[in-house]
Amino acid sequence: MLRLSAVLYILVASALGGAAVTAVLAMRMMEAWQIAGAFAAGCVVALPISAILGRKIYNAMKTPSATA
């Protein structure tokens, strides 16, 4: 499950970090510390999201499918 969560973290962190940077730039906050802070905040928020998604996907793969 840890490997799955790690792969999900790479995807989720880049999406959330990019969205946060886009939001900061749309508000015309052009300082380097503001942009880096937005990206760091997106990466921190991605940690629990990727852990929850990894657990849900892992548990869904463990249970046998009723249609198969």
Side-chain angles (χ1 to χ4, degrees):
M1 186 178 88
L2 182 62
R3 286 186 284 174
L4 177 61
S5 293
V7 170
L8 286 171
Y9 177 75
I10 293 170
L11 298 172
V12 173
S14 62
L16 289 178
V21 168
T22 302
V24 165
L25 292 174
M27 292 185 286
R28 304 225 183 254
M29 301 170 114
M30 302 295 181
E31 298 291 326
W33 67 270
Q34 294 167 331
I35 296 169
F39 186 76
C43 290
V44 169
V45 170
L47 277 170
I49 293 174
S50 62
I52 291 169
L53 282 176
R55 187 181 313 124
K56 286 185 177 279
I57 292 172
Y58 183 76
N59 288 338
M61 289 174 30
K62 277 191 348 184
T63 58
S65 177
T67 60

